Amino acid sequence: MDYLKELAGRANLGATWEAWSPEYRVLAIAVGLAFAYWALRVAVPAVVRILRPVLLAMFAFGAVWALFPEATCSIDLISKLPVLCSR
């Protein structure tokens, strides 16, 4: 860990972002984007797999609401949502 601190000190990475050289800024952005891409590739399939039943239920509700908006808005809980039942 001390070795990494020494390298960061030599590269002047402890200072503010404006003090960084353009090469280190580009490197930091590239590493950040690569990490974000990897995190999305790992997280999104897992989230979709977990939320699949909820997404299917929302799709079914949307289909029923599109076909029968008055009947859907007669449900007490849903009638309180002004976005859905404003018609």
Side-chain angles (χ1 to χ4, degrees):
M1 192 63 170
D2 291 333
Y3 179 70
L4 293 176
K5 288 180 183 177
E6 177 66 28
L7 285 177
R10 286 183 189 174
N12 197 19
L13 297 180
T16 62
W17 178 256
E18 290 80 23
W20 287 26
S21 67
E23 294 86 10
Y24 285 117
R25 287 184 189 185
V26 170
L27 180 64
I29 291 170
V31 169
L33 288 174
F35 179 75
Y37 175 76
W38 174 80
L40 285 174
R41 295 269 308 187
V42 170
V44 169
V47 169
V48 170
R49 211 172 23 253
I50 291 169
L51 294 179
R52 185 175 294 149
V54 174
L55 294 173
L56 289 174
M58 288 175 55
F59 179 75
F61 173 74
V64 169
W65 177 75
L67 293 173
F68 309 107
E70 296 85 19
T72 306
C73 286
S74 67
I75 300 171
D76 188 40
L77 180 68
I78 296 171
S79 66
K80 294 178 183 175
L81 300 173
V83 174
L84 293 176
C85 297
S86 63
R87 297 191 222 176

